[in-house]
Amino acid sequence: MLIENLKLFLLIVEKAGLAAAGREVGLSPATVTERLAALEAHYGARLLTRTTRSISLTDEGRELVTGARRILAETEETEARIKLGVEKISGMIHMSAPRIWLPTSAAAGSICQSTRKSRST
């Protein structure tokens, strides 16, 4: 949930408002406010200064923006590496196929000879 709250925090900053960020991800303003409050409680710091018309980052909020961008980039990179590793084929591969009747070389030679004789007559 912390990662999701960090994503939401960055969206709030990008959209310059809680309601706009909530609309973007389909959350009510109350839910966005609760999740921001949870993030502030987690860090024990006020991250945004809010008025009825605007928001601005506190010093701690600016620090979190920088750190959250780095953390989320590393998280996405790690997830991509793990998914790539899981998608690679590894290990023994077992194949099955029907047996095809192939004559032995001596029998094949006599079949070929009898075919040639019947064509020539």
Side-chain angles (χ1 to χ4, degrees):
M1 187 65 158
L2 180 59
I3 295 292
E4 293 305 315
N5 285 348
L6 289 174
K7 287 179 185 178
L8 181 59
F9 176 70
L10 290 178
L11 190 59
I12 291 168
V13 172
E14 178 187 320
K15 298 293 180 183
L18 280 72
R23 279 191 301 274
E24 181 83 15
V25 293
L27 297 174
S28 70
T31 301
V32 174
T33 300
E34 287 171 10
R35 288 182 52 184
L36 177 60
L39 201 55
E40 289 177 329
H42 175 79
Y43 289 110
R46 195 113 171 109
L47 302 172
L48 298 171
T49 300
R50 298 182 289 272
T51 67
T52 54
R53 298 196 182 269
S54 68
I55 63 166
S56 60
L57 288 166
T58 63
D59 290 339
E60 293 82 2
R62 276 189 285 283
E63 186 67 32
L64 185 58
V65 166
T66 303
R69 286 183 178 145
R70 182 178 41 78
I71 288 167
L72 293 174
E74 288 178 14
T75 301
E76 289 172 7
E77 181 183 314
T78 301
E79 185 176 309
R81 281 196 319 264
I82 290 170
K83 285 183 177 179
L84 179 64
V86 168
E87 292 172 357
K88 288 181 184 175
I89 296 174
S90 63
M92 302 234 356
I93 298 174
H94 296 276
M95 296 178 67
S96 63
R99 279 197 164 165
I100 300 173
W101 178 79
L102 293 175
T104 61
S105 58
S110 64
I111 291 171
C112 290
Q113 287 176 357
S114 61
T115 305
R116 278 190 224 134
K117 287 181 186 175
S118 64
R119 285 187 188 163
S120 60
T121 53

